[in-house]
Each structure stands twice: as C-alpha cells, then as structure tokens.
Amino acid sequence: MLSITLDKDSVRSGTNPPDTLTGTLRAQDADGIDSVWLQLDDDPSIGEDGLLQTAFHSPFRVVVPAGFDPGVRLPVKLEARDVAGFRSALDTSVRVAQ
C-alpha cells in the first residue's frame, strides 16, 4: 500500500524564495520496505531507506523549480520497493498557481 498526503494542491513557480511542496509519504508491505522515492516533475528523485520496516511513514519537502506557467500540472510520483524487489508506484500532480 502506498499513499501520499500533500499539504497543498497548488504551488508557485519562480518565486523568491522558491516555493516548496510538503506532505507525508506512507508505504506498507508485509515483507518490509527497502526504499522509497519521491519525484516532482523531471527533477531527480529523493529517496529514503525503509529500514526493512513493514510500515514506512515520513514527511517530505521538495523545492518547486522555476519556469512553469500558471495552470501547468506538475507530476508527483511516489515509488517504493520491498525487500523482495517488488516495486509499487503512485502518481498524482499539483497545479502551478498564479
């Protein structure tokens, strides 16, 4: 099971200081969680070690890149791998506000 809770559904792009997307990641697997990754748009993924726990819960904070026009939807991808190597993914998005 994967879930992501976003603290807001829209972000600003190109502001000074840059806007951030924050929220909470959750992953659960009876075999144990090996790794969890979060990716905003095409930026490099940020990852955390699941420490082989059956339940993973962690807040996250990602800087929103500059250069996006208002109204654009930025993809947000959460991916997790269990100790057996099985991967699961969850996709959502946030809107760039005025």
Side-chain angles (χ1 to χ4, degrees):
M1 181 208 70
L2 289 179
S3 72
I4 183 169
T5 303
L6 302 175
D7 290 338
K8 55 187 175 182
D9 62 359
S10 64
V11 294
R12 292 172 283 118
S13 177
T15 58
N16 190 11
D19 198 6
T20 56
L21 177 63
T22 59
T24 305
L25 308 175
R26 289 181 183 83
Q28 187 172 344
D29 188 285
D31 294 331
I33 305 295
D34 175 63
S35 304
V36 177
W37 303 273
L38 180 75
Q39 183 178 22
L40 175 63
D41 193 46
D42 290 329
D43 283 357
S45 297
I46 57 171
E48 285 197 48
D49 189 340
L51 302 174
L52 309 180
Q53 299 295 315
T54 56
F56 175 88
H57 178 259
S58 178
F60 71 88
R61 180 183 190 94
V62 180
V63 174
V64 177
F68 292 102
D69 294 327
V72 170
R73 297 206 68 84
L74 300 178
V76 179
K77 182 176 183 177
L78 171 60
E79 188 172 6
R81 180 178 63 215
D82 71 7
V83 296
F86 179 75
R87 288 181 178 242
S88 186
L90 177 66
D91 296 308
T92 189
S93 64
V94 292
R95 183 180 56 82
V96 176
Q98 296 286 342

